[in-house]
């Protein structure tokens, strides 16, 4: 190309020599206009595919290369596709090469023109041709390679579904060369990542086993990339391939069986070894399956031998390239040992620990970095704590390394190796090093010191002192979450003298005029809440507390001043002598430019005039205990900074013995209060059920004033639960007693539904004159079909349901308007003794049955949520969780989310929930009614469920344009949450 396309070279030179962006744009526009003119064809020049017949091969290739180059520079190219396809169809390699390159870059899989080229791509993939180039004709493998590369780079679900079978066939074909197989494996991997359900593991595992027996290491390497990608999605389906992977690993490590061209500095194919080890890491249970299988035992023994040899024979080499390759394999082997956990051989864990201890002390920073990183993972295993503590001094030295990445890994390892025995020493060492640490790592150090101090504090006073040291040394890096956590812990632990100690310590810390603003904030909050506990001590009166805090007013920002204003209000409420000091501050702040300070000052100043002294006392009393969340804000912040897979995150979320001990007492008291409140709520909800399974029609006088038997009271609780379940599930039992079982199966599409009701005779005698009467509804069009006689209206009619048989009722319904009550159905029959039974039931046809889920972006959801504010559009109710159920946690919220999506048929709106205790959804209520334009009338519905784990309660809020829709969705959500 470089020797012929001189025009292309000149064009590239012109662009590189452009002195400004505008000059480049002008040159590109000129060239695009010229190319468009050259591609434009009329009359006989226009080919069937839309290309220009008058262009010769050289010109077509040159202009398409220019389009490719312009596209790569970031300019839009929206023409020339016909010429690209003409090049792809060419039988010359030079043209096909250009065509496929442009096809990969300029066209999308959903482009309409792609349909016209699919047959050519399929032909290039499957047609056998010459094995050597002749007359510039592409060979079979070059044409296949070009096609595979293009398929891998063109997006589009339709293209993937059309050609994936040909790619699989090319991969498995005996006629395919190793080069083609490698590209086919990587192409299929790209397709599977785009469409995960493209390949069925159960069907493809046999073909994968065949690929793993290929003797070409290049094919094996590409096949392992494909296998790892597939196994990451469904590990269990590819577990049978473990022996193949172990066998290949054994050949490479134990027997050094490797072709010369795949030796990398005398290391047999390190890339393939790494892929094999990463694949085996997906199966941590391989050593503890407990299966009696000789082949399995041989594979395990061989795998242990392989890992052992990697550990014992890997050493630091003089060659940097060889050392990098060997250590890449070694660290993956150690990761495999970490994955096995305690089920792996103890000698391997000990060997890995000794080796890593050697690596963290070498001079090479890359190896030291990886050693620290891997040792942090190994430290998570049980029984490794004592071995790791031996290297504590070495890790502390690495904390002072010149390379910041090594310092970060050393900090991670110290964080992971910390426990109750060495916590104080490690925290003190970290605090001492914090004075010398540079700004790049200070924030991370402060966060991890705060987490360790909280996690392993046997005396919370030491924890408070540690946080104050952090503020004094590096206050700028102490985030709000850290001092908020101090406030939460002090507030939630009234036992002992912690609150008084914290108040006194912070008062002393805030006494100097030059004091960090974070210390002022936490001191202001704590003194406002617990300052009264030390007010009797010398120099700590309420007036003195005000004086110490107010000296920082002039140098504080708006956030700190807002906290100070609230603290002043509490001090003035507690101490009479503080009121004359506080009043002038409130008077000045009423005109503050900051709205928050202005509002607080005005409200606090007017509070005593507007409310009684008792009400003011209640408003300004100390805050109640904070909600004890499963994950603290500091742990969440650490997770956001380092990711889910971080060893430090795994360590942080695991509660320590000190934390469990602190939680036991508060949890016991909270649990008792929750049980009492939940029992009361359950009793109240039982009396006021929003959706009743029993219709308003109660059994009374039958024909000729015959007495009738109704629903027994002992069956009603089971009926209520069954009805509630059926509102969100497709089938189940609606009613059952000793005589009759009523089952329902229902399904819905849009505004229409199909409901099958089955009446089963459970008695030892036939049921006579059996009838089912379904009341007509204004909001439903109902078509009824049933067993002959079942729908008779006459008292003497009906059908006979023999013993152990069923009568069937089919209802076809279409909703025409919103509604909030379920259709009524009366079941009437006689026994052989002449006893008349009449059961008033309700069918589980509720408004949520006709919902279609809608997925909204957070911004769109909140905009619609705010637009639907108003008493007529919103329906809200609080429901207590049932007694004797697990505490509300993340798993409980997952069940609530499933209720919203699977039961109520709402689309989950990810990203708009402010906390993990909130679930939001959107749906459309479909009706069969038409508007003036002939379109179906639909109602948009939004729902939000907010949990309060501490109170054991949920608040359900629904907003729609129609009040009945809001009420209906709220009712179904309430009864479903009770069953969660």
């Amino acid at each position: 190309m470089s020797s012929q396309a001189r025009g292309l070279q000149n064009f590239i030179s012109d662009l590189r020599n452009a002195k400004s962006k505008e000059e480049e744009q002008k040159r590109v526009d000129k060239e695009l206009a010229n190319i468009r003119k050259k591609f434009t064809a009329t009359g006989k020049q226009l080919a069937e595919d839309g290309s220009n017949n008058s262009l010769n091969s050289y010109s077509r290739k040159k202009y398409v290369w220019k389009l490719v180059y312009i596209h790569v520079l970031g300019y839009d190219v929206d023409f020339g596709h016909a010429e690209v396809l003409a090049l792809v169809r060419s039988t010359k390699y030079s043209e096909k090469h250009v065509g496929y390159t442009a096809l990969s870059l300029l066209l999308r899989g959903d482009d309409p023109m792609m349909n016209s080229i699919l047959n050519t791509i399929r032909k290039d993939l499957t047609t056998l041709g010459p094995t050597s180039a002749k007359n510039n004709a592409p060979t079979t493998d070059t044409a296949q390679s070009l096609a595979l590369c293009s398929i891998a780079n063109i997006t589009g679900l339709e293209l993937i579904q059309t050609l994936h079978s040909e790619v699989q066939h090319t991969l498995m074909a005996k006629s395919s060369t190793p080069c083609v197989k490698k590209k086919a494996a990587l192409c299929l991997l790209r397709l599977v990542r785009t469409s995960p359900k493209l390949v069925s593991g159960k069907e493809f595992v046999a073909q994968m086993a065949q690929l793993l027996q290929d003797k070409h290491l290049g094919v094996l390497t590409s096949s392992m990339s494909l296998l790892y990608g597939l196994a990451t999605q469904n590990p269990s389906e590819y577990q049978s391939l473990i022996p193949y992977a172990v066998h290949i690993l054994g050949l490479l490590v134990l027997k050094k069986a490797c072709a010369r061209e795949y030796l990398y500095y005398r290391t047999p194919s390190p890339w393939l070894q790494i892929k094999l080890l990463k694949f085996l890491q997906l199966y941590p249970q391989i050593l503890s399956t407990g299966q009696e299988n000789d082949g399995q035992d041989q594979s395990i023994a061989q795998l242990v031998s392989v890992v052992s040899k990697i550990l014992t024979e890997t050493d630091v080499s003089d060659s940097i390239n060889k050392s990098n390759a060997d250590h890449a394999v070694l660290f993956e082997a150690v990761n495999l040992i970490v994955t096995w956990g305690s089920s792996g051989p103890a000698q391997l864990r000990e060997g890995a620990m000794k080796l890593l201890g050697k690596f963290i002390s070498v001079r090479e920073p890359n190896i030291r970095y990886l050693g620290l990183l891997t040792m942090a993972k190994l430290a998570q295993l049980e029984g490794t704590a004592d071995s790791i503590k031996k290297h504590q001094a070495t890790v502390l030295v690495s904390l002072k390394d010149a390379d910041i990445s090594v310092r970060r890994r050393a900090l991670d390892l110290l964080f992971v190796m910390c426990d109750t025995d060495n916590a104080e020493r490690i925290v003190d060492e970290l605090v001492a090093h914090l004075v010398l640490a540079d700004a790049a790592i200070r924030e991370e150090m402060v966060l991890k010191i705060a987490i360790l101090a909280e996690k392993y504090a046997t005396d919370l006073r030491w924890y408070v002192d540690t946080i104050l040291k952090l503020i004094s040394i590096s206050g700028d890096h102490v985030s709000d979450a850290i001092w908020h956590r101090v406030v939460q812990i002090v507030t939630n632990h009234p036992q002992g003298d912690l609150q008084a100690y914290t108040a006194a310590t912070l008062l002393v810390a805030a006494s100097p005029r030059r004091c960090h603003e974070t210390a002022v904030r936490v001191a202001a909050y704590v003194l406002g809440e617990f300052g009264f506990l030390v007010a009797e001590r010398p120099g700590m009166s309420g007036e003195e507390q005000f004086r110490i805090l107010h000296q920082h007013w002039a140098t504080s920002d708006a956030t700190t001043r807002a906290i100070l204003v609230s603290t002043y209000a509490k001090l003035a409420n507690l101490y009479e002598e503080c009121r004359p000091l506080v009043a002038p501050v409130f008077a000045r702040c009423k005109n503050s430019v900051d709205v928050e300070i202005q509002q607080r000052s005005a409200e606090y100043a007017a509070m005593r005039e507007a409310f009684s002294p008792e009400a003011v006392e209640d408003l300004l009393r100390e805050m109640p205990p904070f909600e004890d969340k499963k994950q603290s804000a500091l742990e969440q912040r650490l997770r956001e900074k380092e990711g889910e897979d971080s060893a430090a995150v795994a360590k942080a979320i695991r509660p320590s013995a000190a934390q469990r001990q602190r939680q036991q007492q508060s949890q016991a008291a909270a649990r008792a209060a929750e049980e009492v409140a939940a029992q009361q709520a359950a009793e109240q909800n039982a009396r006021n059920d929003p959706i009743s399974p029993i219709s308003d029609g109660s059994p009374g006088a039958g024909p000729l004033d015959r007495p009738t038997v109704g629903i027994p009271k002992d069956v009603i609780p089971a009926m209520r639960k069954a009805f509630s379940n059926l509102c969100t599930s497709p089938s189940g039992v609606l009613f059952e007693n000793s005589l009759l079982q009523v089952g329902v199966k229902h399904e819905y599409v849009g505004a229409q539904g199909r409901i099958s009701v089955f009446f089963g005779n459970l008695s030892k005698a036939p049921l006579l004159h059996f009838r089912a009467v379904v009341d007509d509804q204004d909001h439903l069009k109902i078509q009824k079909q049933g067993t002959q006689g079942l729908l008779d209206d006459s008292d003497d009619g009906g059908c006979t349901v023999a013993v152990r048989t069923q009568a069937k009722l089919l209802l076809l319904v279409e909703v025409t308007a919103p509604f909030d009550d379920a259709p009524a159905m009366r079941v009437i029959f006689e026994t052989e003794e002449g006893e008349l039974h009449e059961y008033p039931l309700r069918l589980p046809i509720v408004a949520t049955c006709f919902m279609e889920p809608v997925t909204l972006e957070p911004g769109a959801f909140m905009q619609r949520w705010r637009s639907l504010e108003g008493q007529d559009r919103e329906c809200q109710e609080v429901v207590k969780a049932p007694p004797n159920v697990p505490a509300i946690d993340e798993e409980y919220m997952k069940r609530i989310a499933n209720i919203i999506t699977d039961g109520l048929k709402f689309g989950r709106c990810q990203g708009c929930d402010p906390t993990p205790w909130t679930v939001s959804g959107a749906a459309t209520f479909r009706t069969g009614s038409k508007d003036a334009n002939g379109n179906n009338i639909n109602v948009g519905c939004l729902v939000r469920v907010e949990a309060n784990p501490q109170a054991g309660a949920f608040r359900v809020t629904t907003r729609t344009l129609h009040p009945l829709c809001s009420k209906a969705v709220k009712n179904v959500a309430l009864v479903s949450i009770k069953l969660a």
Side-chain angles (χ1 to χ4, degrees):
M1 180 192 71
S2 61
S3 62
Q4 295 180 356
R6 184 172 301 277
L8 175 62
Q9 293 180 357
N10 294 336
F11 173 62
I12 294 174
S13 298
D14 290 345
L15 293 182
R16 289 179 176 175
N17 294 330
K19 297 180 180 179
S20 64
K21 182 68 177 176
E22 292 74 17
E23 185 178 344
E24 179 185 287
Q25 176 77 53
K26 185 177 180 180
R27 181 67 180 89
V28 169
D29 291 342
K30 178 181 178 182
E31 191 63 38
L32 286 174
N34 179 55
I35 297 174
R36 190 187 298 271
K37 181 179 179 181
K38 296 292 184 181
F39 283 173
T40 302
T42 58
K44 295 181 180 180
Q45 296 178 351
L46 184 63
E48 293 181 0
D49 58 2
S51 61
N52 189 344
N53 278 335
S54 64
L55 285 175
N56 57 29
S57 174
Y58 169 81
S59 299
R60 181 177 282 116
K61 289 188 294 182
K62 179 181 68 173
Y63 293 136
V64 170
W65 273 129
K66 287 184 178 181
L67 290 180
V68 170
Y69 188 74
I70 291 171
H71 171 78
V72 170
L73 289 179
Y75 295 95
D76 291 334
V77 177
D78 56 359
F79 68 96
H81 296 168
E83 307 300 332
V84 172
L85 300 185
L87 289 172
V88 174
R89 294 190 184 95
S90 174
T91 57
K92 295 181 179 180
Y93 171 74
S94 60
E95 295 184 3
K96 192 176 286 288
H97 176 215
V98 178
Y100 271 120
T101 303
L103 182 69
S104 301
L105 294 173
L106 300 182
L107 271 75
R108 291 174 169 268
D110 54 359
D111 194 301
M113 299 191 71
M114 286 300 300
N115 294 326
S116 62
I117 203 65
L118 288 179
N119 288 333
T120 303
I121 298 176
R122 188 180 287 110
K123 180 181 177 182
D124 287 340
L125 275 179
T126 57
T127 302
L128 296 177
T131 57
S132 61
K134 194 172 184 180
N135 297 328
N136 199 23
T139 61
T140 302
D141 57 348
T142 55
Q144 288 178 319
S145 298
L146 289 172
L148 289 168
C149 290
S150 292
I151 295 171
N153 286 284
I154 299 174
T155 59
L157 188 59
E158 184 177 349
L159 177 70
I160 293 172
Q161 293 173 346
T162 304
L163 294 177
H164 82 274
S165 58
E166 282 78 7
V167 175
Q168 289 189 48
H169 179 268
T170 304
L171 175 62
M172 303 308 303
K174 293 182 179 179
S175 59
S176 297
T177 63
C179 177
V180 171
K181 285 188 176 183
K182 290 190 293 183
K183 291 185 180 296
L186 297 177
C187 177
L188 186 58
L189 174 60
R190 182 69 176 267
L191 301 185
V192 169
R193 285 174 176 168
T194 305
S195 181
K197 297 182 180 179
L198 199 64
V199 175
S200 172
K202 296 179 181 179
E203 299 174 1
F204 192 67
V205 68
Q207 300 177 21
M208 203 70 243
Q210 182 180 342
L211 288 172
L212 293 181
Q213 297 177 52
D214 199 298
K215 295 183 180 180
H216 195 282
L217 285 181
V219 175
L220 283 177
T221 304
S222 298
S223 300
M224 278 308 305
S225 296
L226 173 60
L227 175 58
Y228 182 72
L230 293 170
T232 302
Q233 298 172 357
N234 298 295
S236 60
E237 294 182 351
Y238 298 93
Q239 187 169 354
S240 60
L241 299 178
I242 292 176
Y244 294 92
V246 174
H247 175 69
I248 299 170
L249 201 55
L251 291 176
L252 294 173
V253 177
L254 300 178
K255 299 182 179 180
K256 305 291 184 181
C258 178
R260 186 184 184 93
E261 59 267 24
Y262 284 94
L263 279 174
Y264 183 78
Y265 290 87
R266 301 188 304 280
T267 301
S269 189
W271 304 278
L272 179 55
Q273 291 187 48
I274 290 171
K275 293 177 188 295
L276 291 164
L277 290 169
K278 289 177 75 69
F279 169 71
L280 293 172
Q281 290 170 28
L282 299 175
Y283 303 96
Q285 76 285 0
I286 183 176
L287 299 184
S288 57
T289 54
Q291 297 177 353
E292 298 295 333
N293 187 322
D294 293 339
Q296 186 86 355
D297 292 341
Q298 291 178 2
S299 296
I300 292 174
Q302 186 179 14
L303 179 57
V304 173
S305 301
V306 167
V307 176
S308 179
K309 186 169 184 179
I310 293 174
L311 291 180
T312 54
E313 294 191 359
T314 303
D315 203 351
V316 179
S317 172
D318 293 335
S319 171
I320 294 178
N321 293 327
K322 177 172 175 56
S323 182
N324 289 341
D326 291 345
H327 285 90
V329 176
L330 170 65
F331 286 118
E332 288 301 335
V334 175
N335 287 335
L336 182 59
I337 296 173
V338 173
T339 303
W340 288 341
S342 57
S343 63
Q347 67 270 20
L348 289 182
R349 293 198 300 274
E350 294 172 1
M353 187 62 69
K354 290 180 181 177
L355 201 60
L356 292 174
K358 178 182 176 182
F359 288 155
I360 65 175
S361 58
V362 300
R363 295 182 60 184
E364 174 61 35
N366 291 334
I367 295 177
R368 194 160 67 253
Y369 173 91
L370 291 172
L372 292 166
L373 176 66
T374 311
M375 187 177 279
K377 295 180 180 178
L378 199 60
Q380 300 177 58
L381 303 183
E382 294 183 5
T384 59
D386 294 335
S387 300
I388 288 184
K389 287 179 183 177
K390 297 176 183 178
H391 306 287
Q392 183 171 321
T394 307
V395 179
L396 286 171
V397 172
S398 297
L399 196 62
K400 303 171 185 177
D401 194 274
D403 191 332
I404 188 172
S405 60
V406 174
R407 296 202 299 273
R408 290 185 189 277
R409 297 289 74 80
L411 177 61
D412 282 346
L413 183 52
L414 284 172
F415 184 87
V416 173
M417 71 167 59
C418 189
D419 59 18
T420 307
D421 297 332
N422 62 0
E424 289 196 22
R425 181 186 172 191
I426 288 180
V427 169
D428 290 343
E429 288 278 1
L430 290 175
V431 171
H433 181 71
L434 184 62
V435 179
L436 306 174
D438 54 32
I441 199 174
R442 276 198 169 195
E443 183 179 357
E444 184 178 350
M445 287 188 68
V446 167
L447 176 62
K448 291 183 176 178
I449 291 171
I451 294 175
L452 290 178
E454 176 190 346
K455 184 177 284 291
Y456 296 106
T458 54
D459 185 350
L460 287 175
R461 293 178 296 181
W462 172 74
Y463 164 70
V464 172
D465 292 339
T466 302
I467 301 300
L468 284 179
K469 289 180 184 177
L470 295 180
I471 295 173
S472 62
I473 295 172
S474 184
D476 290 341
H477 299 93
V478 177
S479 63
D480 288 344
I482 294 177
W483 76 263
H484 289 173
R485 189 63 182 163
V486 174
V487 168
Q488 292 174 15
I489 290 176
V490 172
T491 304
N492 289 4
H493 292 83
Q495 58 272 24
D497 63 341
L498 176 64
Q499 293 175 346
Y501 175 83
T502 305
T505 305
L506 286 169
L507 186 61
V508 173
S511 295
R513 189 164 188 82
R514 299 188 65 178
C515 173
H516 197 277
E517 192 161 358
T518 303
V520 176
R521 291 181 182 179
V522 64
Y525 189 98
V526 172
L527 289 174
E529 297 296 318
F530 311 113
F532 66 92
L533 297 174
V534 298
E536 302 299 325
R537 299 183 186 181
M540 295 187 179
S541 64
E543 186 176 355
E544 192 66 20
Q545 292 178 29
F546 173 82
R547 185 191 64 77
I548 291 174
L549 292 176
H550 195 59
Q551 68 177 340
H552 303 290
W553 178 272
T555 57
S556 299
D557 62 12
T559 302
T560 307
R561 289 185 178 185
I563 300 173
L564 287 171
V565 167
S566 295
T567 301
Y568 295 166
K570 295 197 173 191
L571 292 176
N573 181 58
L574 291 172
Y575 313 110
E576 191 75 30
E577 64 272 19
C578 287
R579 293 176 185 173
L581 303 174
V582 170
V585 178
F586 286 169
R588 288 195 304 271
C589 291
K590 285 181 182 180
N591 299 319
S592 173
V593 295
D594 187 275
V595 176
E596 181 68 23
I597 298 175
Q598 182 188 100
Q599 182 176 356
R600 291 192 186 200
S601 301
E603 291 177 355
Y604 287 141
M607 188 176 289
R608 293 195 172 277
E609 300 176 2
F611 303 106
S612 64
E614 293 79 10
V616 174
E617 188 73 25
D618 288 337
L619 290 171
L620 295 178
R621 71 171 60 253
E622 62 269 20
M623 295 291 289
F626 288 87
E627 177 185 352
D628 192 8
K629 296 183 178 179
K630 188 175 181 180
Q631 185 181 48
S632 72
L634 300 187
E635 294 169 3
Q636 180 64 30
R637 186 175 179 84
L638 183 65
R639 185 190 298 271
E640 292 172 356
K641 288 175 68 68
E642 302 198 1
E644 296 284 346
D645 298 331
S646 168
V649 172
K651 174 81 170 181
I653 63 178
R654 198 163 46 240
S656 66
Q659 285 179 309
R660 289 193 294 268
Q661 185 177 2
R662 291 199 298 265
Q663 290 174 356
Q664 285 176 353
Q665 193 172 16
S666 57
Q667 284 181 345
R671 196 179 302 113
E674 288 176 6
E675 289 177 358
V676 172
Q679 180 66 32
Q680 294 174 349
E683 294 174 357
Q684 182 65 26
N685 289 335
R687 291 191 292 267
N688 303 314
D689 200 341
I691 300 181
S692 173
I694 305 174
S695 67
D696 296 334
S698 56
L704 302 177
D705 292 331
R706 287 175 57 188
T708 59
V709 178
I711 300 175
K713 289 184 179 180
D714 57 342
V715 179
I716 293 178
M719 282 181 60
R720 179 178 288 110
K721 183 175 181 180
F723 180 83
S724 300
N725 279 327
L726 277 169
C727 288
T728 56
S729 59
S731 61
V733 176
L734 177 63
F735 170 83
E736 183 174 1
N737 64 4
S738 59
L739 299 177
L740 177 67
Q741 183 187 69
V742 181
V744 175
K745 181 178 180 181
H746 53 149
E747 55 186 358
Y748 304 86
V749 177
Q752 298 179 339
R754 177 189 178 94
I755 300 91
S756 300
V757 187
F758 306 93
F759 306 92
N761 184 355
L762 302 181
S763 68
K764 298 180 180 179
L767 302 179
L768 308 176
H769 303 295
F770 195 98
R771 291 173 292 146
V773 181
V774 179
D775 296 345
D776 292 329
Q777 306 289 325
D778 294 336
H779 52 269
L780 290 176
K781 295 179 181 178
I782 305 178
Q783 298 181 24
K784 309 169 191 175
Q785 301 176 16
T787 303
Q788 186 174 359
L790 180 65
L791 298 173
D792 285 353
D793 292 331
S794 61
D795 296 333
D796 295 330
C799 62
T800 299
V801 184
V803 178
R804 301 300 175 188
T805 63
Q806 291 181 337
K808 299 180 182 179
L809 172 64
L810 175 63
L811 301 177
L812 302 177
V813 303
E814 183 181 37
V815 64
T816 58
F819 63 100
D820 64 343
D821 59 340
M825 176 181 70
R826 288 182 297 123
V827 180
I828 307 167
F829 63 89
E830 292 183 21
T831 62
E832 282 192 331
E833 293 78 17
E835 192 176 53
L836 180 63
H837 289 252
E838 181 177 347
Y839 300 153
L841 307 176
R842 285 194 183 275
L843 292 169
I845 305 174
V846 293
T848 54
C849 296
F850 303 95
M851 294 290 179
E852 285 189 2
V854 175
T855 302
L856 296 177
E857 295 295 327
F861 179 89
M862 295 310 300
Q863 182 180 1
R864 296 191 185 186
W865 183 263
R866 288 189 290 267
S867 68
L868 292 174
E869 288 181 350
Q871 189 172 2
D872 294 335
R873 298 177 175 181
E874 179 182 285
C875 202
Q876 187 180 93
E877 189 168 339
V878 176
V879 59
K880 282 280 188 179
N884 303 323
V885 299
I888 299 175
D889 56 10
E890 292 182 1
E891 288 298 321
Y892 203 115
M893 292 307 297
K894 288 180 181 178
R895 294 198 295 272
I896 298 300
N898 289 336
I899 288 173
I900 298 299
T901 56
D902 299 338
L904 274 62
K905 300 181 181 179
F906 273 66
R908 178 79 185 274
C909 296
Q910 300 283 0
C912 60
D913 299 328
T915 70
W917 310 112
T918 306
V919 177
S920 302
T924 300
F925 176 77
R926 299 293 186 185
T927 74
S929 301
K930 306 288 184 180
D931 60 12
N933 297 323
N935 300 319
N936 284 5
I937 299 175
N938 304 314
V939 181
C941 303
L942 303 178
V943 65
R944 173 166 278 184
V945 179
E946 299 162 283
N948 185 340
Q950 189 173 7
F954 296 90
R955 181 171 66 186
V956 179
T957 308
T958 58
R959 291 184 181 180
T960 73
L961 286 171
H962 200 290
L964 285 181
C965 271
S966 300
K967 182 179 179 183
V969 174
K970 182 263 297 182
N971 288 344
V972 178
L974 288 177
V975 297
S976 301
I977 288 173
K978 292 179 184 178
L979 299 175

